[in-house]
């Protein structure tokens, strides 16, 4: 490789490292203060970077916000979805998915709890690219939970007449209520209540096969 190539690769890697550093900070800020709390100047000052360098990476506040949403979606997927990629469909997997979400929130992967709960409240009534990115991430998550219920129903773990959209709505509501109460009041009991509610909801709709899977999950826990 030529010296020019080595130099270029080094600059690219330094740029990637700076980008990761910036996004690590912006995700935490946004989870507490919202996406409007982000600015190129603030990030440069806090991380002791040149403003021109940060501008070269992101170009505008809006692009910084959009990049932060994309980075947060990757962190969310890594913590909540990826651990269950090889798990077979079923009631046990649905509950494990919900437990992963509750752990992601309760362990403060983001300082302000669930990143997407926080920024959804900030941008739900707005329009524009940032609103659309937040809405798309929320839609993708809801659709994933619905699909998990549908796959569990097809596997025979839930009754054939299970309303997967209603079921997904209910468990997501319980998870987000736990996040909101814990963040506001600084207590953890809400997560236990949410898990009990989710388990009761799943058991109420489970077949004998599904109940056996949930019981096996309890024994393995």
């Amino acid at each position: 490789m030529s010296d020019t190539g080595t130099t270029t690769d080094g600059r690219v890697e330094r740029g990637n490292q700076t980008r990761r550093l910036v996004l690590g900070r912006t995700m935490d800020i946004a989870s507490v203060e919202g996406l409007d709390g982000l600015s190129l100047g603030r990030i440069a000052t806090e991380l002791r970077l040149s403003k021109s360098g940060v501008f070269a990476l992101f170009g505008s506040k809006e692009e910084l916000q959009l990049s932060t949403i994309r980075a947060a979606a990757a962190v969310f997927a890594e913590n909540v979805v990826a651990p269950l990629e090889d798990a077979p469909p079923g009631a046990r997997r649905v509950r494990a998915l919900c437990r992963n979400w509750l752990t992601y929130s309760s362990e403060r992967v983001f300082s302000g709890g669930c990143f997407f709960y926080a920024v959804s409240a900030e941008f739900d009534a707005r329009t524009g690219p940032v609103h659309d990115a937040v809405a798309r991430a929320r839609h993708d998550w809801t659709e994933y939970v619905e699909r998990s219920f549908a796959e569990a129903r097809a596997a025979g773990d839930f009754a054939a007449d299970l309303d997967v959209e209603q079921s997904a709505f209910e468990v997501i509501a319980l998870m987000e209520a736990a996040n909101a109460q814990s963040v506001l009041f600084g207590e953890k009991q809400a997560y236990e209540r949410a898990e009990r509610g989710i388990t009761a909801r799943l058991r109420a709709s489970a077949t004998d096969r599904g109940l056996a899977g949930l019981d096996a999950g309890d024994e393995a826990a």
Side-chain angles (χ1 to χ4, degrees):
M1 182 181 291
S2 68
D3 290 343
T4 301
T6 301
T7 300
T8 300
D9 288 346
R11 288 176 179 170
V12 169
E13 179 54 30
R14 285 194 298 275
N16 289 337
Q17 289 175 353
T18 301
R19 187 179 182 85
R20 288 191 292 269
L21 176 66
V22 168
L23 292 176
R25 180 64 185 132
T26 59
M27 286 187 287
D28 257 1
I29 292 173
S31 74
V32 175
E33 301 178 26
L35 288 161
D36 271 347
L38 305 181
S39 73
L40 300 175
R42 173 183 179 176
I43 296 304
T45 299
E46 287 193 8
L47 299 179
R48 297 182 179 180
L49 301 170
S50 71
K51 186 173 180 179
S52 61
V54 176
F55 184 85
L57 286 172
F58 298 99
S60 67
K61 176 176 179 173
E62 182 177 275
E63 181 53 39
L64 181 63
Q65 291 172 324
L66 293 171
S67 296
T68 299
I69 293 167
R70 289 191 291 267
V75 171
F76 178 91
E78 180 183 355
N79 283 271
V80 179
V81 177
L84 296 172
E85 284 182 345
D86 296 327
R92 181 176 175 179
R93 185 183 185 282
V94 172
R95 185 171 63 178
L97 181 67
C98 295
R99 282 177 170 171
N100 285 354
W101 193 100
L102 293 170
T103 299
Y104 142 84
S105 173
S106 66
E107 293 188 352
R108 299 295 188 259
V109 171
F110 298 113
S111 296
C114 177
F115 176 93
F116 290 99
Y117 181 86
V119 301
S120 294
E122 181 186 12
F123 276 86
D124 56 3
R126 304 191 194 185
T127 59
V130 177
H131 165 275
D132 293 347
V134 172
R136 185 163 52 251
R138 293 282 304 224
H139 176 269
D140 289 348
W141 166 238
T142 299
E143 190 175 65
Y144 187 85
V145 177
E146 290 174 354
R147 185 164 65 252
S148 297
F149 269 106
E151 290 171 350
R153 183 182 61 185
D157 275 13
F158 291 121
D161 62 352
L162 176 75
D163 185 333
V164 298
E165 293 181 359
Q166 181 66 27
S167 298
F169 181 89
E170 290 179 9
V171 299
I172 290 172
L174 283 167
M175 291 187 286
E176 292 188 345
N179 176 84
Q181 185 162 326
S182 176
V183 172
L184 183 60
F185 296 112
E187 51 90 356
K188 299 286 188 177
Q189 291 87 346
Y191 294 109
E192 297 170 7
R193 296 189 187 97
E195 183 169 346
R196 288 198 299 271
I198 290 166
T199 296
R201 178 67 184 84
L202 299 184
R203 293 186 71 88
S205 301
T207 61
D208 289 343
R209 183 182 187 278
L211 290 172
L214 291 170
D215 290 340
D218 288 336
E219 293 172 2

